[in-house]
Amino acid sequence: KTNATLKVMIAGAPAAGKGTQCAKIIEKYNLVHISVGDILRDEVKNGTAAGKKAKDFMDRGVLVPDEVVVEMVKSRLAQEDVKQRGWLLDGYPRSASQAEAIEKEAIRPDLFLLIQVPDELLVERVVGRRLDPVTGAIYHLKYNPPPPEIVSRLQQRSDDTEEKCRVRVDTHNANVGAVVGYYKDVMVEIDGTQSMDDVFAAISKALDQAIAKSDPLEAYC
Ligand code: AP5
């Protein structure tokens, strides 16, 4: 584990592997994982006002309005654990207006990871994904098969259909260029078509370099 309070954003198309890699990153680097998709799904499940507003947009695979998302992210980033351990922001910003909203607060990452996977691979990843509600683990029927004894409890996300995946991919492709424009100076592109372990090796390298840059002493610890 490292004590560096690194600030990291992770971006990529739906099913590019963000959640899979975030689990590995927090295990090794102890950053606070803030997944906007996970927070929104919790709000929907708990029937909060924010969840009620978000549900229809998520079901359609389009972006939830900024009025719901921006304050949610800003207030999470202001919490104590984040200040002490650093953050790993997953799924934000997804548009120029979301990037602007945090630029205004001088919230900037040390590293912007962009996981690149061609569109044609994404549908297969989405429809084969299964989630364990007990541990939160992410499986894939072909690429990361679950142990047989837990198969009966696994769940599928309601937006993990081929049709909704295509809308989510289009939404991503329409916005990613604008978002990248804000973070070019700290961006590292990662080839997300490699095995999960190889993707993580590339991400670890980028994180270690960012740590060395932000705190040269830490690199020797
Ligand atoms: P969100 O939950 O963020 O979904 P997403 O961006 O579509 O990304 P996913 O969670 O689908 O994929 P992932 O990249 O985490 O992939 P995973 O690791 O699971 O957002 C959902 C919705 O919330 C949005 O559509 C929107 O409505 C709303 N929302 C969220 N953020 C918002 C924002 N900022 N503003 C407005 N609205 C917002 O991997 C996928 C599968 O592939 C798994 O089965 C995995 O096992 C497998 N896999 C992973 N890596 C590999 C590999 N290297 N090789 C083979 N298989 C792999």
Side-chain angles (χ1 to χ4, degrees), residues 21-74:
Q21 295 302 323
C22 284
K24 293 175 185 286
I25 295 169
I26 58 169
E27 168 74 23
K28 182 170 174 189
Y29 294 92
N30 198 31
L31 301 173
V32 177
H33 180 206
I34 303 171
S35 160
V36 179
D38 285 350
I39 295 173
L40 287 169
R41 276 184 290 279
D42 272 350
E43 300 280 343
V44 171
K45 201 171 87 188
N46 296 331
T48 64
K52 285 185 182 131
K53 280 189 200 158
K55 185 174 186 312
D56 172 56
F57 296 93
M58 295 178 80
D59 283 345
R60 286 192 282 132
V62 298
L63 293 183
V64 173
D66 286 0
E67 66 184 75
V68 177
V69 171
V70 171
E71 282 310 316
M72 197 179 262
V73 170
K74 283 203 291 196

Side-chain angles (χ1 to χ4, degrees), residues 12-21 35-38 40-41 54 57-59 61-66 69 73 90-94 98 125-126 128-131 138-141 143-144 157 159-160 168 192-197 199:
K18 301 180 294 295
T20 300
Q21 295 302 323
S35 160
V36 179
D38 285 350
L40 287 169
R41 276 184 290 279
F57 296 93
M58 295 178 80
D59 283 345
V62 298
L63 293 183
V64 173
D66 286 0
V69 171
V73 170
D90 168 4
Y92 188 100
R94 292 204 194 217
Q98 291 185 4
R125 286 200 187 179
V126 157
R129 172 166 48 192
R130 296 293 182 275
L131 302 167
I138 303 168
Y139 294 100
H140 190 281
L141 295 178
Y143 300 117
N144 185 20
R157 261 168 54 180
D159 59 349
D160 273 357
R168 285 157 61 201
T193 65
Q194 311 169 87
S195 74
M196 295 175 204
D197 286 345
V199 173

Side-chain angles (χ1 to χ4, degrees), residues 83-134:
K83 285 184 197 148
Q84 285 176 10
R85 286 162 47 204
W87 46 260
L88 173 61
L89 190 53
D90 168 4
Y92 188 100
R94 292 204 194 217
S95 63
S97 63
Q98 291 185 4
E100 275 300 330
I102 52 172
E103 284 283 309
K104 274 196 202 127
E105 313 279 321
I107 298 170
R108 284 192 67 78
D110 301 305
L111 176 65
F112 181 91
L113 293 165
L114 180 62
I115 306 184
Q116 298 279 26
V117 176
D119 290 1
E120 59 271 21
L121 296 183
L122 299 171
V123 171
E124 189 197 11
R125 286 200 187 179
V126 157
V127 296
R129 172 166 48 192
R130 296 293 182 275
L131 302 167
D132 183 351
V134 176

